[in-house]
Amino acid sequence: MSYDSVYPEFLRTGVGKLQQRESCTGDVLGLFSALEQFRRDIADQRDLDAVLRVTELYVFGLDLFTAAGFFLANPQTFDFDMAHCSPEGQSPFLAKLIRQEIRAGRFAWALRQNRPVFFNSQSESGPVRGVFHTLGVATHRLGMFCGVLKKEHVPSQEVTFNLLSILLGAASHALGAVRTAEELQNKVLAANQNLQQALKENEVLARIAAESPSPVLRLSRSGRVLYSNQSGTEALEAKGWQVGDLISGEWMEMLGDAFENGARHEFEAIVKDRAYAVLIVPVAEAGYANFYGTDITDRKRAEAERERLISELRDALAKVKTLSGLVPICAWCKKIRDDQGFWKHIEVYIQSRSEAVFTHGVCPDCLRKFTSDLAKLPGGAEVAEPEAELHHQAQ
């Protein structure tokens, strides 16, 4: 930013003559003209750097300082950052000087004052005498001005330091206005970004319904179809409806129940050869309800298949009869006592409780015993060897 004005020189000339007590009416008027021009010049600036550059020109017109710096409060870090320094090459020196004064506690004390505060410090090049002056509006502290004095503070400079306070006071108001404007602008930008983000999110949400493969419908409380996506349109056509029509039957009953209860309601509907779970979400304050359909055809088929298998399994289990627990059996005749206390032949008992079917034969041991007993009878006939007989039966 470039700025050129003769008014800072008016300050230099007028202040010099005031200090020498050689002023005349024209010099005093020149001082007032310079101050008024400063107020107008600084009011035209729209950013912090421009305000500080204009202030620097007028401050140096007071012919007090060899170097000066402006330290502004950082809203994010709550620390003081150097915002402007003149001459620029003195920036490291002033930054180090400020750190020394902060550690010594004089910076914090000076920050609470509304007037010039003088200090003496020690630098690598020797002793330094300077002045602090708060940059603030009312009780709000914006920052601090630090100037390195050319010479000792003398009584003839009192008017000059009063002029310094006037200049820095006007600069503080300008800085406060710029910072407030920046904060408002940032808030507006943030609000605009939030608005743009919300619009994008709404657009995405709107596309979700339109692009959903499942039916999405919006119906008024009276049952009129207000909106439908592509899949919902196909479902409507299958029912003989379209957007703008009034629905009827089961769907209308479910819609009425949802509004009456003021809660979500779900039912299943068959559209063509597809099964849907339809969720009704009433929006009472808007006077409509959204229908969200989910295709559950595959799930219903899987459930039907599961029920079929379960039924078959139950039938199979009903046909299976098993023997378990203690079975009372006669040690001699091998009959078994059933639950009613009757004694039954073992094959009868087992056949009544299982799918087993008995056939009868004679084991080799019993056959030998039987033939042996026959041979012992009086007049017993010749009987073939058991092995031969068995072999013959097998043939």
Side-chain angles (χ1 to χ4, degrees):
M1 170 259 181
S2 61
Y3 173 78
D4 186 21
S5 175
V6 298
Y7 288 97
E9 190 60 32
F10 285 4
L11 283 178
R12 189 185 306 274
T13 302
V15 167
K17 290 187 176 183
L18 281 174
Q19 291 177 355
Q20 297 168 12
R21 302 186 184 278
E22 299 176 356
S23 63
C24 62
T25 304
D27 296 322
V28 174
L29 291 175
L31 280 174
F32 281 109
S33 297
L35 291 174
E36 288 302 316
Q37 185 61 38
F38 172 68
R39 288 191 175 95
R40 287 194 292 269
D41 288 343
I42 206 167
D44 294 336
Q45 311 310 316
R46 294 292 179 266
D47 61 79
L48 294 176
D49 187 63
V51 170
L52 295 177
R53 287 186 180 277
V54 173
T55 304
E56 170 212 328
L57 292 175
Y58 280 86
V59 166
F60 274 89
L62 298 175
D63 199 26
L64 287 172
F65 308 107
T66 60
F70 296 86
F71 297 81
L72 299 184
N74 188 321
Q76 281 73 42
T77 63
F78 301 101
D79 201 355
F80 287 89
D81 300 331
M82 180 176 286
H84 185 75
C85 179
S86 181
E88 292 183 2
Q90 293 294 314
S91 178
F93 164 70
L94 281 178
K96 185 176 181 180
L97 181 64
I98 286 292
R99 287 196 295 271
Q100 289 180 190
E101 296 305 306
I102 289 175
R103 287 195 295 270
R106 286 186 290 269
F107 185 90
W109 180 79
L111 191 63
R112 294 192 293 270
Q113 310 304 311
N114 290 318
R115 57 182 175 78
V117 176
F118 301 94
F119 67 91
N120 293 303
S121 187
Q122 192 69 28
S123 69
E124 296 176 355
S125 58
V128 175
R129 179 165 176 77
V131 62
F132 286 134
H133 200 296
T134 301
L135 298 172
V137 180
T139 59
H140 184 52
R141 298 296 183 256
L142 303 173
M144 180 76 79
F145 167 83
C146 178
V148 178
L149 294 168
K150 288 183 176 182
K151 53 187 176 181
E152 284 293 323
H153 176 208
V154 293
S156 62
Q157 292 177 327
E158 285 302 320
V159 174
T160 312
F161 284 113
N162 288 334
L163 290 173
L164 175 66
S165 293
I166 293 173
L167 292 175
L168 295 180
S172 296
H173 281 85
L175 291 170
V178 169
R179 177 153 284 182
T180 301
E182 288 181 346
E183 291 175 354
L184 290 175
Q185 184 179 12
N186 290 335
K187 289 180 180 179
V188 169
L189 290 174
N192 187 54
Q193 289 176 350
N194 292 337
L195 176 61
Q196 295 298 325
Q197 182 65 27
L199 290 175
K200 288 181 180 178
E201 290 176 355
N202 287 338
E203 183 181 350
V204 171
L205 291 174
R207 287 205 309 269
I208 289 174
E211 297 171 0
S212 174
S214 299
V216 178
L217 305 171
R218 176 168 292 174
L219 284 77
S220 69
R221 184 189 290 268
S222 62
R224 188 174 301 279
V225 182
L226 304 176
Y227 166 82
S228 173
N229 67 352
Q230 181 60 39
S231 181
T233 300
E234 295 173 359
L236 289 174
E237 291 175 351
K239 303 286 289 184
W241 302 323
Q242 60 182 0
V243 175
D245 288 351
L246 290 170
I247 65 171
S248 60
E250 180 188 22
W251 286 41
M252 187 61 202
E253 292 177 7
M254 297 298 177
L255 176 64
D257 290 342
F259 273 110
E260 182 178 350
N261 297 325
R264 298 183 177 189
H265 193 73
E266 189 171 357
F267 69 99
E268 292 185 5
I270 303 297
V271 179
K272 293 184 178 179
D273 58 344
R274 311 296 296 178
Y276 293 92
V278 182
L279 176 65
I280 307 175
V281 182
V283 186
E285 60 274 16
Y288 63 74
N290 293 326
F291 280 50
Y292 301 100
T294 303
D295 192 331
I296 58 172
T297 305
D298 292 340
R299 191 188 79 189
K300 298 295 287 185
R301 289 174 179 170
E303 289 177 355
E305 178 64 15
R306 181 172 64 89
E307 290 299 326
R308 185 186 66 80
L309 293 175
I310 291 175
S311 178
E312 291 181 358
L313 179 59
R314 285 174 179 167
D315 291 341
L317 290 175
K319 295 177 181 179
V320 174
K321 297 180 180 179
T322 58
L323 297 174
S324 62
L326 296 175
V327 179
I329 186 170
C330 177
W332 295 96
C333 67
K334 306 304 180 184
K335 287 183 179 179
I336 296 176
R337 187 180 67 224
D338 63 15
D339 298 335
Q340 286 75 36
F342 296 104
W343 290 91
K344 296 182 178 179
H345 290 288
I346 188 170
E347 60 269 25
V348 174
Y349 183 87
I350 293 175
Q351 283 186 167
S352 64
R353 286 165 173 76
S354 71
E355 300 297 327
V357 177
F358 287 89
T359 60
H360 293 83
V362 180
C363 70
D365 292 338
C366 289
L367 182 58
R368 289 192 190 94
K369 182 176 181 300
F370 175 72
T371 54
S372 176
D373 291 342
L374 286 178
K376 292 178 181 178
L377 293 175
E382 292 290 334
V383 179
E385 289 295 325
E387 291 81 357
E389 181 63 24
L390 287 173
H391 178 70
H392 176 74
Q393 291 181 2
Q395 289 181 338

